[in-house]
Structure formats: structure tokens, C-alpha cells
């Protein structure tokens, strides 16, 4: 049993080592883009529910995008009760390509339903989704479109999401470092090795005709981006990762808000895991890469955390023999070195390295990573509870600051 456990974790560690190397290589690679002769029209869809605190700066960033083609901005107001409507109307009056769209009430509530409504009333060749707290850099949209148009079989493109409030406290720094690893380096590594990319929910571009073929957003999927990624991959579409297409977004500054946000994310991924464990179609071709990612993050990583914590406690209590503890300690030490190496590699690539971030990198495994155990079982409890009662899992909006 010890040999099997050690072998499984050893293979996982090797896989992530390879991903990290190729991710760093891709991130540091200089990409020349000669531009396009023709820039297709793009609809910007911004779902918004009570976003008055952040919407002003978001819309300022949207109208400041330097895109050579036609751009139409749709602020999809999902029954906001704050000043969202007033801010949207003021911009709509100033900019002829910006539209304030009140979304009719409906069920189930959430981002997917709002985006589906936005797709019904818009018409451009491409659409790009930005969350209501996002501030994309001026060249972001152009870079996404150039990639989607120039890379064979691409049906869109995925940019990089950075944390605008990274320096607020230790929590926001940890979230930022997490994004730098898993959303950038790991994404870049999978794209380099397997030509697979995953939609990120924001700063993501898609060709409209793709959804005409595979269907609209799944309104029951809380992780609507991951669910749509699987259907696009199944249909043979590519989603290139474009690190240079950057948007800045706000992340939770309090642990309570983070827990609510990540519980929703995890419930969405449990929905996908349930699908993956019930059909062999998710284990064919490039779908296997996405399935492997889901299983590694939400099953293997969880099991490793629990086992390593239990082994550590048992060691302190003198409940394990030396001959069995050494192999597990070696695996734990190797995984810790890999985890911190990924953090430092990301900091170097993104030029965010500092004494405080180095210190946070050393302690993240013992703090931030351990929170995943609590989040997983909390999410699993609410997911099973909703399934038993045949309830639709409600969408909880992330509170802005």
C-alpha cells in the first residue's frame, strides 16, 4: 500500500514538474504578432449585479480598449438594487457603442443565464466576457482576437487575470500568487504540451458560431467556464493561452468572502466531476487532459493534503515506524519544494518578487493550501444537501470593496 501511494504521488509530482518547466518556457517566450488585415467585430458582455462600487472604473477601462475593429459593449444589468443602473446609463449616454441592458428576471439565477440573454441580443462575430470588476489593459482585446484569428482551429482565446488589490493584505497576496501559478503557469504548460486551454470566466474570447454549434451556457453550471471548456474541447476547438492579454480584477480581502466564493467554485467543479465519473466520453482525446486536471486538483491533491497532515500528526504522536515514515516524508518534502518553486518561478516571471512575497511563498503550503480541505468538504456538504432536496444550487455573488 505504501509503495502504491508513493508511486501515485511520485507520478503526480513529476507531471507538475514538467508542466511548470513548460509553463515557464511559454510565459517567457517572446511572441511576435504582425497584426491582422481585418479585425472582426466583437461584443463585450459584462454581467453585473449590484456592482456600483467597481463599475465606474470597469467601464472606463472598456471604453479605453485600443481595438482596431468594431466593438460593442453590453452592460447586462441583472436586477441591481444599487447605483449600477445610473452608472451604466451615464456611460451609455456618452458612448454610442455602450449599451445598458436590463436583464429580465428569471430562474435559475446566475451568470450563465445573464450571458445567454446577452448573446441573444448581440450579434458580432466574436464575444468576450469580462466580470464587472475587471479593468483590462488597452491592448488586451486586440491580442485575444489576433490569437483567435491566426492560430489554426482556434475558436477563441484566453487571457491572464491579475489581482488589482494584491498588496492589500496577506490573503490577497496569496490569491494573486495562486493565480500566477495555476491560472498562468499551469495553463501555459498545458497549452505548450497538449494544445489545451481552459476558459477562465473573464478575459476570455469566443467565436459566436462556436456556441451556435455546441449550445449556449449551461444555466445549472456554477463553474460555467469549465463546463463550456469541455464542450468546446469535445467539438475539436482550441483555446490558446495568451499571457500578454491582461485584465486586472479585485479579489476577496476577507477570509469569509473568500470561503463563499470558493464554495461556489468548488460546487461547480463537483458538478463537473459528477459528469466525468458517469461517462467515458470525458476520457477520450484532449478531453482526458481536462479530466486529469479536475481529478488531480479536486481528488488527488485533496487526498495528498489529508494523508500528509495525518502522517505529520501521527509522527508527532509516535504512531508511525521510521521505515514507513521516511518514504512519505520524502514525498512530502519533494512536493513542498515543487510547490514553493512554482510560487517563486511565478514571482520571477511576473516581477512580483519581494521579501514579503518570498516569506508568503514559504508559508502558503501550511496556511492557504490547507484551507482547501475545509473548502472541499464544506462544498461537498452543500452540494449533496442540494441534490437530496432536489434544489438548484444558488449563485452567491462575490462582495466588492
Amino acid at each position: 500500500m505504501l509503495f502504491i501511494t508513493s508511486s501515485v504521488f511520485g507520478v503526480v509530482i513529476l507531471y507538475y514538474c514538467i508542466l511548470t518547466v513548460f509553463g515557464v518556457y511559454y510565459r517567457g517566450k517572446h511572441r511576435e504578432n504582425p497584426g491582422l488585415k481585418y479585425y472582426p467585430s466583437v461584443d463585450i458582455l459584462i454581467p453585473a449585479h449590484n456592482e456600483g462600487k467597481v463599475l465606474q472604473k470597469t467601464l472606463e477601462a472598456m471604453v479605453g480598449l485600443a481595438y482596431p475593429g468594431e466593438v460593442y459593449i453590453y452592460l447586462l444589468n441583472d436586477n441591481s438594487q444599487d447605483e449600477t443602473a445610473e452608472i451604466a446609463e451615464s456611460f451609455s449616454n456618452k458612448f454610442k457603442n455602450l449599451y445598458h441592458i436590463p436583464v429580465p428576471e428569471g430562474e435559475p439565477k446566475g451568470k450563465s443565464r445573464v450571458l445567454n440573454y446577452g448573446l441573444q441580443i448581440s450579434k458580432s462575430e466574436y464575444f468576450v466576457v469580462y466580470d464587472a470588476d475587471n479593468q483590462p489593459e488597452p491592448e488586451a482585446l486586440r491580442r485575444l482576437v489576433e490569437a483567435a484569428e491566426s492560430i489554426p482551429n482556434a475558436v477563441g482565446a484566453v487571457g491572464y487575470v491579475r489581482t488589482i488589490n494584491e498588496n492589500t493584505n496577506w490573503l490577497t497576496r496569496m490569491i494573486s500568487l495562486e493565480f500566477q501559478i495555476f491560472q498562468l503557469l499551469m495553463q501555459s504548460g498545458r497549452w505548450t504540451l497538449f494544445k489545451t486551454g481552459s476558459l477562465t470566466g473573464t478575459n476570455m474570447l469566443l467565436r459566436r458560431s462556436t456556441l451556435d454549434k455546441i449550445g449556449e451556457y449551461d444555466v445549472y453550471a456554477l463553474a460555467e467556464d469549465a463546463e463550456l471548456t469541455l464542450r468546446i474541447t469535445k467539438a475539436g476547438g482550441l483555446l490558446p493561452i495568451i499571457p500578454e492579454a491582461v485584465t486586472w480584477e479585485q479579489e476577496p480581502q476577507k477570509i469569509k468572502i473568500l470561503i463563499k466564493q470558493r464554495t461556489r467554485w468548488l460546487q461547480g467543479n463537483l458538478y463537473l466531476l459528477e459528469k466525468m465519473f458517469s461517462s467515458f466520453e470525458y476520457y477520450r482525446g484532449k478531453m482526458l487532459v481536462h479530466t486529469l486536471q479536475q481529478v488531480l486538483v479536486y481528488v488527488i491533491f485533496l487526498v495528498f493534503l489529508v494523508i500528509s497532515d495525518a502522517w505529520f500528526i501521527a509522527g508527532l504522536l509516535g504512531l508511525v515506524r521510521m521505515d514507513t515514515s521516511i518514504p512519505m516524508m520524502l514525498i512530502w518534502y519533494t512536493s513542498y519544494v515543487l510547490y514553493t518553486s512554482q510560487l517563486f518561478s511565478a514571482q520571477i516571471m511576473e516581477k512580483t518578487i519581494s521579501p514579503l512575497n518570498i516569506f508568503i511563498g514559504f508559508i502558503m503550503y501550511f496556511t492557504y493550501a490547507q484551507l482547501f480541505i475545509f473548502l472541499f468538504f464544506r462544498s461537498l456538504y452543500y452540494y449533496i444537501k442540494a441534490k437530496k432536496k432536489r434544489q438548484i444550487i444558488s449563485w452567491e455573488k462575490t462582495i466588492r470593496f
Side-chain angles (χ1 to χ4, degrees):
M1 182 63 181
L2 178 61
F3 174 77
I4 295 174
T5 303
S6 302
S7 298
V8 169
F9 289 138
V11 170
V12 171
I13 290 170
L14 178 62
Y15 172 71
Y16 275 110
C17 283
I18 295 171
L19 274 188
T20 301
V21 170
F22 280 89
V24 169
Y25 165 75
Y26 182 79
R27 182 64 185 94
K29 187 178 179 181
H30 180 67
R31 281 171 283 278
E32 289 286 350
N33 199 319
L36 305 173
K37 293 181 178 179
Y38 164 73
Y39 282 83
S41 59
V42 180
D43 292 326
I44 299 176
L45 304 182
I46 310 170
H49 176 71
N50 294 335
E51 300 286 3
K53 290 183 177 180
V54 295
L55 192 57
Q56 178 83 21
K57 291 184 177 180
T58 295
L59 295 182
E60 287 173 356
M62 297 302 164
V63 298
L65 287 168
Y67 183 68
E70 294 181 343
V71 176
Y72 303 94
I73 305 166
Y74 295 88
L75 191 284
L76 305 172
N77 186 357
D78 185 20
N79 298 281
S80 299
Q81 302 302 310
D82 63 355
E83 62 269 31
T84 294
E86 288 77 7
I87 296 172
E89 280 296 321
S90 68
F91 274 85
S92 180
N93 293 331
K94 293 178 183 177
F95 301 94
K96 63 180 181 179
N97 67 329
L98 194 154
Y99 306 94
H100 172 218
I101 308 296
V103 178
E105 290 191 41
E107 294 291 339
K109 297 185 183 302
K111 184 177 178 180
S112 294
R113 183 184 66 84
V114 175
L115 287 173
N116 285 339
Y117 184 80
L119 289 169
Q120 291 173 17
I121 54 93
S122 58
K123 59 183 180 181
S124 292
E125 297 172 63
Y126 284 91
F127 71 93
V128 62
V129 178
Y130 283 108
D131 286 339
D133 64 331
N134 272 222
Q135 298 177 40
E137 294 182 356
E139 302 297 326
L141 180 57
R142 179 182 61 80
R143 294 179 186 277
L144 290 175
V145 173
E146 287 173 349
E149 285 285 288
S150 60
I151 295 175
N153 299 320
V155 298
V158 181
Y160 175 29
V161 182
R162 298 198 64 176
T163 303
I164 198 167
N165 57 333
E166 175 183 355
N167 296 329
T168 300
N169 55 39
W170 285 21
L171 178 61
T172 54
R173 287 176 182 270
M174 289 181 177
I175 295 171
S176 177
L177 288 173
E178 175 195 27
F179 273 39
Q180 289 172 36
I181 292 177
F182 296 105
Q183 195 231 53
L184 181 62
L185 287 187
M186 297 297 98
Q187 279 261 58
S188 296
R190 287 194 297 274
W191 173 251
T192 305
L193 287 172
F194 310 113
K195 288 296 178 282
T196 60
S198 299
L199 298 174
T200 52
T202 187
N203 201 23
M204 44 168 269
L205 176 87
L206 284 173
R207 187 175 287 122
R208 181 180 297 274
S209 60
T210 300
L211 265 65
D212 293 337
K213 296 176 183 177
I214 67 173
E216 60 185 9
Y217 279 93
D218 182 346
V219 295
Y220 298 103
L222 295 181
E224 79 292 332
D225 48 354
E227 192 279 333
L228 189 58
T229 295
L230 293 174
R231 284 190 279 141
I232 290 172
T233 303
K234 182 181 178 181
L238 297 184
L239 295 167
I241 306 302
I242 312 301
E244 297 83 8
V246 177
T247 190
W248 295 82
E249 77 171 12
Q250 187 184 94
E251 301 301 340
Q253 297 177 184
K254 296 180 180 179
I255 192 70
K256 182 179 179 180
I257 296 172
L258 177 71
I259 288 173
K260 288 185 176 181
Q261 181 198 64
R262 296 308 171 90
T263 297
R264 169 166 55 83
W265 289 7
L266 274 166
Q267 285 176 311
N269 283 285
L270 287 172
Y271 175 78
L272 293 181
L273 281 173
E274 186 178 4
K275 284 187 173 185
M276 290 172 174
F277 290 144
S278 61
S279 174
F280 285 110
E281 70 175 354
Y282 294 100
Y283 299 86
R284 298 171 184 164
K286 291 186 178 181
M287 292 275 282
L288 178 61
V289 178
H290 294 297
T291 301
L292 179 64
Q293 173 65 15
Q294 291 288 117
V295 173
L296 284 176
V297 173
Y298 300 105
V299 179
I300 302 298
F301 180 63
L302 173 73
V303 171
F304 178 79
L305 277 178
V306 172
I307 290 178
S308 64
D309 289 350
W311 210 270
F312 178 74
I313 294 172
L316 290 178
L317 298 176
L319 300 177
V320 292
R321 301 196 315 269
M322 181 64 69
D323 59 336
T324 59
S325 63
I326 290 178
M328 288 301 296
M329 285 299 296
L330 181 61
I331 292 174
W332 177 90
Y333 179 75
T334 304
S335 63
Y336 174 74
V337 170
L338 171 62
Y339 186 83
T340 52
S341 297
Q342 289 175 329
L343 289 169
F344 297 145
S345 297
Q347 290 181 45
I348 292 171
M349 297 305 298
E350 297 308 304
K351 298 180 175 61
T352 58
I353 197 161
S354 68
L356 180 55
N357 280 349
I358 291 173
F359 172 73
I360 287 175
F362 279 118
I363 67 170
M364 270 187 70
Y365 180 85
F366 305 103
T367 53
Y368 189 79
Q370 300 301 321
L371 181 62
F372 183 74
I373 299 174
F374 168 74
L375 288 171
F376 180 88
F377 287 108
R378 183 178 193 267
S379 305
L380 183 63
Y381 168 76
Y382 285 117
Y383 186 79
I384 293 174
K385 183 180 178 181
K387 293 281 285 188
K388 283 185 175 181
K389 293 185 176 182
R390 300 181 182 275
Q391 295 176 336
I392 297 174
I393 301 174
S394 61
W395 175 278
E396 281 207 55
K397 177 189 174 302
T398 301
I399 297 174
R400 311 296 186 199
F401 297 93

